[in-house]
């Protein structure tokens, strides 16, 4: 579970990513990639496929950051949902 300070930081990073801030995207990746890789890997336990899907997940996060709404979900839940859905799509 994320602490409130971590959640607020991720919300701020996503807001900056929505404005195409590459340094914020790098920070967001560093803060969340291990968690999201775990989500993907549980569904796709093949390292190369999981890494490819994770890359696509971050492209989707970059493109959809402006649609994130902190009143509807935590940032990590929003990103984990993207990761989970993308991994399931890959299985299909």
């Amino acid at each position: 579970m994320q602490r409130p300070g971590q959640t607020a930081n991720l919300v701020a990073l996503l807001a900056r990513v929505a404005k195409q801030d590459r340094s914020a995207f790098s920070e967001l990746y560093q803060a969340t990639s291990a968690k999201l890789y775990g989500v993907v890997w549980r569904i796709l336990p093949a390292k190369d496929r999981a890494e490819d899907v994770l890359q696509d997940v971050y492209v989707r996060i970059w493109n959809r950051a402006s649609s994130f709404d902190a009143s509807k979900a935590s940032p990590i839940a929003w990103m984990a949902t993207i990761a989970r859905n993308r991994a399931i799509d890959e299985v299909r």
Side-chain angles (χ1 to χ4, degrees), residues 30-86:
Q30 291 298 317
T32 61
S33 61
K35 168 77 173 175
L36 297 185
Y37 181 77
V39 169
V40 171
W41 191 80
R42 276 187 225 92
I43 298 166
L44 290 171
K47 184 179 181 196
D48 58 335
R49 287 179 70 195
E51 289 172 350
D52 288 345
V53 167
L54 186 64
Q55 181 177 349
D56 189 49
V57 166
Y58 278 99
V59 169
R60 290 174 187 222
I61 290 169
W62 173 263
N63 290 328
R64 298 178 185 173
S66 63
S67 70
F68 172 70
D69 183 350
S71 69
K72 294 183 179 177
S74 72
I76 199 67
W78 182 77
M79 291 184 286
T81 299
I82 292 171
R84 179 184 171 278
N85 290 344
R86 179 60 189 91

